[in-house]
Amino acid sequence: VLTHGGRADLVGRHVVVSAGGTREYLDPVRFLGNRSSGLQGYAIARAAAARGAEVTLVAANVTLPDPAGLKVVRVGTTAELRDAVVSAAAGADAVVMAAAPADFRPTGVSEAKIKKAADGSAPTIELIQNPDILAEISHHRTKPGQVVVGFAAETGDETGSVLDLAAAKLKRKGCDLLVVNDVSGGAVFGSGVNKAVILGADGGHVDVQEGAKSALAEVIWDQIVTRLGER
Ligand code: CTP
Ligand code: CA
């Protein structure tokens, strides 16, 4: 099973990876969701298993089949994702939050399908913020030396460049590593390739050239393994 240059550097480690995008239902048939396919998270989970880790993959609305040899937990909403990740993270050596949780959910779910009004008016949907899973995991580590990794899909705007925004997010979340994608244009969604910068809370900065999501997955584990080794 050890394919990464024959390296077995995650043997004896338990890791948790989240993947996909959560959905928040408005009524029995409609939801607020996002464009995450789960491909990058699945590549990260598979890479860890190949390097010898015991892997729990928490998959939110992913249409890909369960990869062999790892534990897959299927979830739908951000609240379900939170519960599954927090529970799997207890005692884990590393947690990688590659999933895209919906940031908001409706204050209530209508039990019946929402109907159109005859007068042409539209309903107003009231939203509340979902819990921040990455910040919670980062600030309540359940194992000394646990390495926590976040993702950030950013577009630069008038408040800052992609890297400025990412550096602020890394700090705010309290994680050890932040994998930053520039998503201006929307190219990464559902695609097999990705390009990223991996920022470290220790000031680290690794540029990963455009390549397969499986190649980025290996670089992410290289960065995690270095930090596991230091602890
Ligand atoms: N994340 C999380 N819980 C949330 C939202 C995001 O754990 N409720 C995680 C994502 O899995 C990702 C990281 O936080 O690893 C950054 O996600 P992002 O959407 O970029 O961050 P937000 O804090 O939601 O900020 P933004 O307003 O830019 O969406
Ligand atoms: Ca968000």
Side-chain angles (χ1 to χ4, degrees), residues 99-139:
D103 291 331
F104 312 103
R105 68 179 184 279
T107 49
V109 184
S110 171
E111 272 179 41
K113 194 183 159 199
I114 299 166
K115 290 290 185 193
K116 282 197 290 191
D119 64 0
S121 67
T124 299
I125 296 160
E126 202 188 325
L127 304 175
I128 51 174
Q129 253 192 54
N130 271 326
D132 190 320
I133 305 162
L134 179 61
E136 180 180 349
I137 295 283
S138 298
H139 292 120

PDB file of all heavy atoms in Angstrom, residues 99-139:
ATOM      1  N   ALA A  99     -13.243  20.298   2.871  1.00  0.00           N
ATOM      2  CA  ALA A  99     -14.651  20.509   2.517  1.00  0.00           C
ATOM      3  C   ALA A  99     -14.980  21.996   2.458  1.00  0.00           C
ATOM      4  O   ALA A  99     -14.294  22.827   3.063  1.00  0.00           O
ATOM      5  CB  ALA A  99     -15.553  19.829   3.542  1.00  0.00           C
ATOM      6  N   ALA A 100     -16.027  22.309   1.720  1.00  0.00           N
ATOM      7  CA  ALA A 100     -16.542  23.677   1.645  1.00  0.00           C
ATOM      8  C   ALA A 100     -17.890  23.710   2.368  1.00  0.00           C
ATOM      9  O   ALA A 100     -18.917  23.357   1.788  1.00  0.00           O
ATOM     10  CB  ALA A 100     -16.704  24.085   0.188  1.00  0.00           C
ATOM     11  N   PRO A 101     -17.875  24.094   3.646  1.00  0.00           N
ATOM     12  CA  PRO A 101     -19.140  24.160   4.367  1.00  0.00           C
ATOM     13  C   PRO A 101     -19.920  25.406   3.920  1.00  0.00           C
ATOM     14  O   PRO A 101     -19.331  26.451   3.681  1.00  0.00           O
ATOM     15  CB  PRO A 101     -18.715  24.327   5.837  1.00  0.00           C
ATOM     16  CG  PRO A 101     -17.253  23.999   5.881  1.00  0.00           C
ATOM     17  CD  PRO A 101     -16.719  24.369   4.528  1.00  0.00           C
ATOM     18  N   ALA A 102     -21.240  25.250   3.799  1.00  0.00           N
ATOM     19  CA  ALA A 102     -22.076  26.430   3.555  1.00  0.00           C
ATOM     20  C   ALA A 102     -21.917  27.337   4.771  1.00  0.00           C
ATOM     21  O   ALA A 102     -21.992  26.873   5.910  1.00  0.00           O
ATOM     22  CB  ALA A 102     -23.534  26.010   3.383  1.00  0.00           C
ATOM     23  N   ASP A 103     -21.681  28.623   4.551  1.00  0.00           N
ATOM     24  CA  ASP A 103     -21.449  29.544   5.665  1.00  0.00           C
ATOM     25  C   ASP A 103     -22.728  29.908   6.405  1.00  0.00           C
ATOM     26  O   ASP A 103     -22.675  30.291   7.572  1.00  0.00           O
ATOM     27  CB  ASP A 103     -20.805  30.835   5.150  1.00  0.00           C
ATOM     28  CG  ASP A 103     -19.371  30.607   4.682  1.00  0.00           C
ATOM     29  OD1 ASP A 103     -18.713  29.701   5.212  1.00  0.00           O
ATOM     30  OD2 ASP A 103     -18.917  31.354   3.798  1.00  0.00           O
ATOM     31  N   PHE A 104     -23.852  29.810   5.693  1.00  0.00           N
ATOM     32  CA  PHE A 104     -25.132  30.241   6.280  1.00  0.00           C
ATOM     33  C   PHE A 104     -26.178  29.147   6.096  1.00  0.00           C
ATOM     34  O   PHE A 104     -26.097  28.354   5.168  1.00  0.00           O
ATOM     35  CB  PHE A 104     -25.640  31.502   5.571  1.00  0.00           C
ATOM     36  CG  PHE A 104     -24.594  32.567   5.413  1.00  0.00           C
ATOM     37  CD1 PHE A 104     -23.973  32.777   4.180  1.00  0.00           C
ATOM     38  CD2 PHE A 104     -24.216  33.350   6.493  1.00  0.00           C
ATOM     39  CE1 PHE A 104     -22.997  33.758   4.027  1.00  0.00           C
ATOM     40  CE2 PHE A 104     -23.244  34.338   6.348  1.00  0.00           C
ATOM     41  CZ  PHE A 104     -22.639  34.538   5.118  1.00  0.00           C
ATOM     42  N   ARG A 105     -27.146  29.117   6.960  1.00  0.00           N
ATOM     43  CA  ARG A 105     -28.287  28.224   6.773  1.00  0.00           C
ATOM     44  C   ARG A 105     -29.564  29.015   7.056  1.00  0.00           C
ATOM     45  O   ARG A 105     -29.540  29.989   7.828  1.00  0.00           O
ATOM     46  CB  ARG A 105     -28.198  27.000   7.684  1.00  0.00           C
ATOM     47  CG  ARG A 105     -28.367  27.316   9.156  1.00  0.00           C
ATOM     48  CD  ARG A 105     -28.302  26.059  10.015  1.00  0.00           C
ATOM     49  NE  ARG A 105     -28.567  26.346  11.417  1.00  0.00           N
ATOM     50  CZ  ARG A 105     -27.665  26.835  12.277  1.00  0.00           C
ATOM     51  NH1 ARG A 105     -26.442  27.099  11.876  1.00  0.00           N
ATOM     52  NH2 ARG A 105     -27.996  27.074  13.530  1.00  0.00           N
ATOM     53  N   PRO A 106     -30.672  28.595   6.443  1.00  0.00           N
ATOM     54  CA  PRO A 106     -31.939  29.269   6.730  1.00  0.00           C
ATOM     55  C   PRO A 106     -32.272  29.125   8.209  1.00  0.00           C
ATOM     56  O   PRO A 106     -31.963  28.095   8.814  1.00  0.00           O
ATOM     57  CB  PRO A 106     -32.957  28.518   5.866  1.00  0.00           C
ATOM     58  CG  PRO A 106     -32.145  27.859   4.797  1.00  0.00           C
ATOM     59  CD  PRO A 106     -30.824  27.528   5.434  1.00  0.00           C
ATOM     60  N   THR A 107     -32.917  30.137   8.790  1.00  0.00           N
ATOM     61  CA  THR A 107     -33.267  30.071  10.211  1.00  0.00           C
ATOM     62  C   THR A 107     -34.246  28.926  10.466  1.00  0.00           C
ATOM     63  O   THR A 107     -34.296  28.404  11.571  1.00  0.00           O
ATOM     64  CB  THR A 107     -33.888  31.399  10.686  1.00  0.00           C
ATOM     65  OG1 THR A 107     -34.898  31.770   9.755  1.00  0.00           O
ATOM     66  CG2 THR A 107     -32.857  32.500  10.752  1.00  0.00           C
ATOM     67  N   GLY A 108     -34.964  28.513   9.441  1.00  0.00           N
ATOM     68  CA  GLY A 108     -35.869  27.369   9.590  1.00  0.00           C
ATOM     69  C   GLY A 108     -36.015  26.653   8.256  1.00  0.00           C
ATOM     70  O   GLY A 108     -35.810  27.250   7.206  1.00  0.00           O
ATOM     71  N   VAL A 109     -36.330  25.346   8.323  1.00  0.00           N
ATOM     72  CA  VAL A 109     -36.570  24.577   7.102  1.00  0.00           C
ATOM     73  C   VAL A 109     -38.080  24.389   6.973  1.00  0.00           C
ATOM     74  O   VAL A 109     -38.728  23.895   7.904  1.00  0.00           O
ATOM     75  CB  VAL A 109     -35.887  23.192   7.168  1.00  0.00           C
ATOM     76  CG1 VAL A 109     -36.061  22.450   5.844  1.00  0.00           C
ATOM     77  CG2 VAL A 109     -34.412  23.333   7.521  1.00  0.00           C
ATOM     78  N   SER A 110     -38.648  24.798   5.838  1.00  0.00           N
ATOM     79  CA  SER A 110     -40.092  24.629   5.616  1.00  0.00           C
ATOM     80  C   SER A 110     -40.394  23.148   5.405  1.00  0.00           C
ATOM     81  O   SER A 110     -39.725  22.474   4.622  1.00  0.00           O
ATOM     82  CB  SER A 110     -40.503  25.445   4.392  1.00  0.00           C
ATOM     83  OG  SER A 110     -41.829  25.135   4.047  1.00  0.00           O
ATOM     84  N   GLU A 111     -41.383  22.626   6.129  1.00  0.00           N
ATOM     85  CA  GLU A 111     -41.710  21.203   5.983  1.00  0.00           C
ATOM     86  C   GLU A 111     -42.368  20.913   4.647  1.00  0.00           C
ATOM     87  O   GLU A 111     -42.232  19.828   4.097  1.00  0.00           O
ATOM     88  CB  GLU A 111     -42.620  20.749   7.129  1.00  0.00           C
ATOM     89  CG  GLU A 111     -41.791  20.296   8.329  1.00  0.00           C
ATOM     90  CD  GLU A 111     -42.660  19.847   9.496  1.00  0.00           C
ATOM     91  OE1 GLU A 111     -43.669  19.164   9.248  1.00  0.00           O
ATOM     92  OE2 GLU A 111     -42.315  20.201  10.639  1.00  0.00           O
ATOM     93  N   ALA A 112     -43.086  21.917   4.119  1.00  0.00           N
ATOM     94  CA  ALA A 112     -43.732  21.763   2.815  1.00  0.00           C
ATOM     95  C   ALA A 112     -42.945  22.555   1.777  1.00  0.00           C
ATOM     96  O   ALA A 112     -42.237  23.508   2.109  1.00  0.00           O
ATOM     97  CB  ALA A 112     -45.162  22.282   2.888  1.00  0.00           C
ATOM     98  N   LYS A 113     -43.061  22.147   0.529  1.00  0.00           N
ATOM     99  CA  LYS A 113     -42.384  22.863  -0.554  1.00  0.00           C
ATOM    100  C   LYS A 113     -42.896  24.305  -0.601  1.00  0.00           C
ATOM    101  O   LYS A 113     -44.104  24.542  -0.538  1.00  0.00           O
ATOM    102  CB  LYS A 113     -42.684  22.145  -1.872  1.00  0.00           C
ATOM    103  CG  LYS A 113     -41.789  22.584  -2.997  1.00  0.00           C
ATOM    104  CD  LYS A 113     -42.175  21.896  -4.298  1.00  0.00           C
ATOM    105  CE  LYS A 113     -41.639  22.708  -5.468  1.00  0.00           C
ATOM    106  NZ  LYS A 113     -42.329  22.363  -6.715  1.00  0.00           N
ATOM    107  N   ILE A 114     -41.974  25.241  -0.683  1.00  0.00           N
ATOM    108  CA  ILE A 114     -42.352  26.662  -0.738  1.00  0.00           C
ATOM    109  C   ILE A 114     -43.033  26.929  -2.079  1.00  0.00           C
ATOM    110  O   ILE A 114     -42.502  26.572  -3.135  1.00  0.00           O
ATOM    111  CB  ILE A 114     -41.105  27.558  -0.557  1.00  0.00           C
ATOM    112  CG1 ILE A 114     -40.447  27.295   0.804  1.00  0.00           C
ATOM    113  CG2 ILE A 114     -41.457  29.030  -0.725  1.00  0.00           C
ATOM    114  CD1 ILE A 114     -39.039  27.870   0.967  1.00  0.00           C
ATOM    115  N   LYS A 115     -44.230  27.550  -2.025  1.00  0.00           N
ATOM    116  CA  LYS A 115     -45.021  27.801  -3.237  1.00  0.00           C
ATOM    117  C   LYS A 115     -44.812  29.219  -3.739  1.00  0.00           C
ATOM    118  O   LYS A 115     -44.567  30.137  -2.952  1.00  0.00           O
ATOM    119  CB  LYS A 115     -46.512  27.594  -2.926  1.00  0.00           C
ATOM    120  CG  LYS A 115     -46.883  26.133  -2.679  1.00  0.00           C
ATOM    121  CD  LYS A 115     -46.795  25.363  -3.970  1.00  0.00           C
ATOM    122  CE  LYS A 115     -47.270  23.921  -3.800  1.00  0.00           C
ATOM    123  NZ  LYS A 115     -46.902  23.105  -4.958  1.00  0.00           N
ATOM    124  N   LYS A 116     -44.970  29.400  -5.040  1.00  0.00           N
ATOM    125  CA  LYS A 116     -44.932  30.752  -5.619  1.00  0.00           C
ATOM    126  C   LYS A 116     -46.227  31.471  -5.282  1.00  0.00           C
ATOM    127  O   LYS A 116     -47.306  30.876  -5.346  1.00  0.00           O
ATOM    128  CB  LYS A 116     -44.826  30.666  -7.140  1.00  0.00           C
ATOM    129  CG  LYS A 116     -43.436  30.358  -7.622  1.00  0.00           C
ATOM    130  CD  LYS A 116     -43.269  30.676  -9.090  1.00  0.00           C
ATOM    131  CE  LYS A 116     -44.053  29.716  -9.965  1.00  0.00           C
ATOM    132  NZ  LYS A 116     -43.690  29.843 -11.393  1.00  0.00           N
ATOM    133  N   ALA A 117     -46.107  32.768  -4.963  1.00  0.00           N
ATOM    134  CA  ALA A 117     -47.313  33.560  -4.716  1.00  0.00           C
ATOM    135  C   ALA A 117     -47.892  34.023  -6.046  1.00  0.00           C
ATOM    136  O   ALA A 117     -47.146  34.276  -6.995  1.00  0.00           O
ATOM    137  CB  ALA A 117     -46.961  34.762  -3.840  1.00  0.00           C
ATOM    138  N   ALA A 118     -49.227  34.109  -6.117  1.00  0.00           N
ATOM    139  CA  ALA A 118     -49.899  34.494  -7.360  1.00  0.00           C
ATOM    140  C   ALA A 118     -49.571  35.931  -7.772  1.00  0.00           C
ATOM    141  O   ALA A 118     -49.627  36.283  -8.946  1.00  0.00           O
ATOM    142  CB  ALA A 118     -51.410  34.319  -7.194  1.00  0.00           C
ATOM    143  N   ASP A 119     -49.200  36.764  -6.797  1.00  0.00           N
ATOM    144  CA  ASP A 119     -48.965  38.184  -7.109  1.00  0.00           C
ATOM    145  C   ASP A 119     -47.556  38.452  -7.649  1.00  0.00           C
ATOM    146  O   ASP A 119     -47.164  39.606  -7.817  1.00  0.00           O
ATOM    147  CB  ASP A 119     -49.240  39.041  -5.863  1.00  0.00           C
ATOM    148  CG  ASP A 119     -48.257  38.723  -4.731  1.00  0.00           C
ATOM    149  OD1 ASP A 119     -47.364  37.856  -4.904  1.00  0.00           O
ATOM    150  OD2 ASP A 119     -48.379  39.340  -3.653  1.00  0.00           O
ATOM    151  N   GLY A 120     -46.804  37.416  -7.930  1.00  0.00           N
ATOM    152  CA  GLY A 120     -45.470  37.623  -8.501  1.00  0.00           C
ATOM    153  C   GLY A 120     -44.399  37.951  -7.479  1.00  0.00           C
ATOM    154  O   GLY A 120     -43.235  38.155  -7.840  1.00  0.00           O
ATOM    155  N   SER A 121     -44.735  37.977  -6.190  1.00  0.00           N
ATOM    156  CA  SER A 121     -43.747  38.316  -5.160  1.00  0.00           C
ATOM    157  C   SER A 121     -42.856  37.110  -4.854  1.00  0.00           C
ATOM    158  O   SER A 121     -43.195  35.975  -5.199  1.00  0.00           O
ATOM    159  CB  SER A 121     -44.466  38.778  -3.889  1.00  0.00           C
ATOM    160  OG  SER A 121     -45.174  37.695  -3.321  1.00  0.00           O
ATOM    161  N   ALA A 122     -41.711  37.364  -4.228  1.00  0.00           N
ATOM    162  CA  ALA A 122     -40.779  36.295  -3.868  1.00  0.00           C
ATOM    163  C   ALA A 122     -40.551  36.309  -2.360  1.00  0.00           C
ATOM    164  O   ALA A 122     -40.594  37.375  -1.741  1.00  0.00           O
ATOM    165  CB  ALA A 122     -39.455  36.496  -4.596  1.00  0.00           C
ATOM    166  N   PRO A 123     -40.318  35.127  -1.775  1.00  0.00           N
ATOM    167  CA  PRO A 123     -40.089  35.108  -0.334  1.00  0.00           C
ATOM    168  C   PRO A 123     -38.729  35.698   0.027  1.00  0.00           C
ATOM    169  O   PRO A 123     -37.810  35.679  -0.789  1.00  0.00           O
ATOM    170  CB  PRO A 123     -40.131  33.621   0.023  1.00  0.00           C
ATOM    171  CG  PRO A 123     -39.749  32.921  -1.225  1.00  0.00           C
ATOM    172  CD  PRO A 123     -40.212  33.776  -2.369  1.00  0.00           C
ATOM    173  N   THR A 124     -38.605  36.184   1.245  1.00  0.00           N
ATOM    174  CA  THR A 124     -37.312  36.598   1.773  1.00  0.00           C
ATOM    175  C   THR A 124     -36.831  35.462   2.657  1.00  0.00           C
ATOM    176  O   THR A 124     -37.569  34.983   3.512  1.00  0.00           O
ATOM    177  CB  THR A 124     -37.461  37.887   2.610  1.00  0.00           C
ATOM    178  OG1 THR A 124     -37.962  38.902   1.744  1.00  0.00           O
ATOM    179  CG2 THR A 124     -36.121  38.325   3.192  1.00  0.00           C
ATOM    180  N   ILE A 125     -35.602  34.992   2.410  1.00  0.00           N
ATOM    181  CA  ILE A 125     -35.084  33.862   3.187  1.00  0.00           C
ATOM    182  C   ILE A 125     -34.125  34.404   4.230  1.00  0.00           C
ATOM    183  O   ILE A 125     -33.101  35.012   3.894  1.00  0.00           O
ATOM    184  CB  ILE A 125     -34.393  32.847   2.264  1.00  0.00           C
ATOM    185  CG1 ILE A 125     -35.445  32.251   1.309  1.00  0.00           C
ATOM    186  CG2 ILE A 125     -33.699  31.755   3.054  1.00  0.00           C
ATOM    187  CD1 ILE A 125     -34.851  31.639   0.077  1.00  0.00           C
ATOM    188  N   GLU A 126     -34.446  34.186   5.497  1.00  0.00           N
ATOM    189  CA  GLU A 126     -33.587  34.688   6.565  1.00  0.00           C
ATOM    190  C   GLU A 126     -32.525  33.642   6.881  1.00  0.00           C
ATOM    191  O   GLU A 126     -32.831  32.451   7.038  1.00  0.00           O
ATOM    192  CB  GLU A 126     -34.439  34.979   7.806  1.00  0.00           C
ATOM    193  CG  GLU A 126     -33.771  35.962   8.754  1.00  0.00           C
ATOM    194  CD  GLU A 126     -34.526  36.104  10.070  1.00  0.00           C
ATOM    195  OE1 GLU A 126     -35.778  36.038  10.052  1.00  0.00           O
ATOM    196  OE2 GLU A 126     -33.854  36.256  11.096  1.00  0.00           O
ATOM    197  N   LEU A 127     -31.270  34.085   6.987  1.00  0.00           N
ATOM    198  CA  LEU A 127     -30.153  33.162   7.208  1.00  0.00           C
ATOM    199  C   LEU A 127     -29.457  33.446   8.528  1.00  0.00           C
ATOM    200  O   LEU A 127     -29.446  34.578   8.996  1.00  0.00           O
ATOM    201  CB  LEU A 127     -29.124  33.321   6.073  1.00  0.00           C
ATOM    202  CG  LEU A 127     -29.613  33.131   4.637  1.00  0.00           C
ATOM    203  CD1 LEU A 127     -28.481  33.451   3.655  1.00  0.00           C
ATOM    204  CD2 LEU A 127     -30.088  31.691   4.421  1.00  0.00           C
ATOM    205  N   ILE A 128     -28.842  32.407   9.095  1.00  0.00           N
ATOM    206  CA  ILE A 128     -27.941  32.589  10.226  1.00  0.00           C
ATOM    207  C   ILE A 128     -26.605  31.912   9.900  1.00  0.00           C
ATOM    208  O   ILE A 128     -26.544  31.032   9.041  1.00  0.00           O
ATOM    209  CB  ILE A 128     -28.507  32.019  11.554  1.00  0.00           C
ATOM    210  CG1 ILE A 128     -28.968  30.571  11.366  1.00  0.00           C
ATOM    211  CG2 ILE A 128     -29.630  32.881  12.082  1.00  0.00           C
ATOM    212  CD1 ILE A 128     -29.390  29.911  12.667  1.00  0.00           C
ATOM    213  N   GLN A 129     -25.549  32.337  10.599  1.00  0.00           N
ATOM    214  CA  GLN A 129     -24.222  31.783  10.322  1.00  0.00           C
ATOM    215  C   GLN A 129     -24.082  30.381  10.890  1.00  0.00           C
ATOM    216  O   GLN A 129     -24.575  30.094  11.979  1.00  0.00           O
ATOM    217  CB  GLN A 129     -23.143  32.675  10.943  1.00  0.00           C
ATOM    218  CG  GLN A 129     -22.384  33.462   9.895  1.00  0.00           C
ATOM    219  CD  GLN A 129     -21.131  34.126  10.451  1.00  0.00           C
ATOM    220  OE1 GLN A 129     -20.271  33.474  11.044  1.00  0.00           O
ATOM    221  NE2 GLN A 129     -21.036  35.424  10.239  1.00  0.00           N
ATOM    222  N   ASN A 130     -23.378  29.538  10.142  1.00  0.00           N
ATOM    223  CA  ASN A 130     -23.045  28.202  10.619  1.00  0.00           C
ATOM    224  C   ASN A 130     -21.811  28.250  11.512  1.00  0.00           C
ATOM    225  O   ASN A 130     -21.025  29.196  11.435  1.00  0.00           O
ATOM    226  CB  ASN A 130     -22.777  27.295   9.408  1.00  0.00           C
ATOM    227  CG  ASN A 130     -24.034  26.636   8.900  1.00  0.00           C
ATOM    228  OD1 ASN A 130     -24.927  26.298   9.679  1.00  0.00           O
ATOM    229  ND2 ASN A 130     -24.118  26.457   7.591  1.00  0.00           N
ATOM    230  N   PRO A 131     -21.598  27.223  12.347  1.00  0.00           N
ATOM    231  CA  PRO A 131     -20.380  27.165  13.168  1.00  0.00           C
ATOM    232  C   PRO A 131     -19.145  27.036  12.283  1.00  0.00           C
ATOM    233  O   PRO A 131     -19.201  26.459  11.201  1.00  0.00           O
ATOM    234  CB  PRO A 131     -20.572  25.903  14.017  1.00  0.00           C
ATOM    235  CG  PRO A 131     -21.569  25.084  13.289  1.00  0.00           C
ATOM    236  CD  PRO A 131     -22.464  26.055  12.565  1.00  0.00           C
ATOM    237  N   ASP A 132     -18.037  27.585  12.743  1.00  0.00           N
ATOM    238  CA  ASP A 132     -16.763  27.488  12.023  1.00  0.00           C
ATOM    239  C   ASP A 132     -16.012  26.260  12.544  1.00  0.00           C
ATOM    240  O   ASP A 132     -15.443  26.280  13.640  1.00  0.00           O
ATOM    241  CB  ASP A 132     -15.948  28.766  12.235  1.00  0.00           C
ATOM    242  CG  ASP A 132     -14.739  28.821  11.306  1.00  0.00           C
ATOM    243  OD1 ASP A 132     -14.091  27.777  11.099  1.00  0.00           O
ATOM    244  OD2 ASP A 132     -14.454  29.913  10.789  1.00  0.00           O
ATOM    245  N   ILE A 133     -16.034  25.202  11.755  1.00  0.00           N
ATOM    246  CA  ILE A 133     -15.478  23.915  12.193  1.00  0.00           C
ATOM    247  C   ILE A 133     -13.957  23.994  12.318  1.00  0.00           C
ATOM    248  O   ILE A 133     -13.375  23.532  13.308  1.00  0.00           O
ATOM    249  CB  ILE A 133     -15.872  22.805  11.191  1.00  0.00           C
ATOM    250  CG1 ILE A 133     -17.395  22.765  11.021  1.00  0.00           C
ATOM    251  CG2 ILE A 133     -15.332  21.448  11.644  1.00  0.00           C
ATOM    252  CD1 ILE A 133     -17.860  22.039   9.767  1.00  0.00           C
ATOM    253  N   LEU A 134     -13.313  24.582  11.325  1.00  0.00           N
ATOM    254  CA  LEU A 134     -11.843  24.671  11.328  1.00  0.00           C
ATOM    255  C   LEU A 134     -11.339  25.453  12.545  1.00  0.00           C
ATOM    256  O   LEU A 134     -10.389  25.027  13.212  1.00  0.00           O
ATOM    257  CB  LEU A 134     -11.364  25.333  10.028  1.00  0.00           C
ATOM    258  CG  LEU A 134      -9.860  25.528   9.877  1.00  0.00           C
ATOM    259  CD1 LEU A 134      -9.109  24.198   9.898  1.00  0.00           C
ATOM    260  CD2 LEU A 134      -9.561  26.293   8.578  1.00  0.00           C
ATOM    261  N   ALA A 135     -11.985  26.581  12.843  1.00  0.00           N
ATOM    262  CA  ALA A 135     -11.562  27.385  14.000  1.00  0.00           C
ATOM    263  C   ALA A 135     -11.771  26.588  15.290  1.00  0.00           C
ATOM    264  O   ALA A 135     -10.917  26.593  16.180  1.00  0.00           O
ATOM    265  CB  ALA A 135     -12.343  28.695  14.039  1.00  0.00           C
ATOM    266  N   GLU A 136     -12.883  25.880  15.371  1.00  0.00           N
ATOM    267  CA  GLU A 136     -13.160  25.084  16.575  1.00  0.00           C
ATOM    268  C   GLU A 136     -12.104  23.991  16.769  1.00  0.00           C
ATOM    269  O   GLU A 136     -11.557  23.826  17.869  1.00  0.00           O
ATOM    270  CB  GLU A 136     -14.563  24.454  16.471  1.00  0.00           C
ATOM    271  CG  GLU A 136     -14.914  23.611  17.698  1.00  0.00           C
ATOM    272  CD  GLU A 136     -16.308  22.982  17.620  1.00  0.00           C
ATOM    273  OE1 GLU A 136     -17.100  23.347  16.726  1.00  0.00           O
ATOM    274  OE2 GLU A 136     -16.588  22.120  18.477  1.00  0.00           O
ATOM    275  N   ILE A 137     -11.803  23.259  15.690  1.00  0.00           N
ATOM    276  CA  ILE A 137     -10.796  22.183  15.768  1.00  0.00           C
ATOM    277  C   ILE A 137      -9.424  22.763  16.134  1.00  0.00           C
ATOM    278  O   ILE A 137      -8.696  22.217  16.968  1.00  0.00           O
ATOM    279  CB  ILE A 137     -10.704  21.437  14.406  1.00  0.00           C
ATOM    280  CG1 ILE A 137     -12.015  20.714  14.088  1.00  0.00           C
ATOM    281  CG2 ILE A 137      -9.517  20.484  14.354  1.00  0.00           C
ATOM    282  CD1 ILE A 137     -12.247  19.441  14.844  1.00  0.00           C
ATOM    283  N   SER A 138      -9.080  23.893  15.513  1.00  0.00           N
ATOM    284  CA  SER A 138      -7.769  24.509  15.753  1.00  0.00           C
ATOM    285  C   SER A 138      -7.619  24.965  17.198  1.00  0.00           C
ATOM    286  O   SER A 138      -6.538  24.847  17.781  1.00  0.00           O
ATOM    287  CB  SER A 138      -7.571  25.716  14.840  1.00  0.00           C
ATOM    288  OG  SER A 138      -7.590  25.331  13.493  1.00  0.00           O
ATOM    289  N   HIS A 139      -8.696  25.500  17.750  1.00  0.00           N
ATOM    290  CA  HIS A 139      -8.612  26.082  19.095  1.00  0.00           C
ATOM    291  C   HIS A 139      -8.877  25.084  20.215  1.00  0.00           C
ATOM    292  O   HIS A 139      -8.667  25.396  21.380  1.00  0.00           O
ATOM    293  CB  HIS A 139      -9.542  27.299  19.188  1.00  0.00           C
ATOM    294  CG  HIS A 139      -9.069  28.448  18.334  1.00  0.00           C
ATOM    295  ND1 HIS A 139      -9.820  28.985  17.312  1.00  0.00           N
ATOM    296  CD2 HIS A 139      -7.894  29.126  18.317  1.00  0.00           C
ATOM    297  CE1 HIS A 139      -9.128  29.958  16.715  1.00  0.00           C
ATOM    298  NE2 HIS A 139      -7.956  30.059  17.312  1.00  0.00           N
TER     299      HIS A 139
END
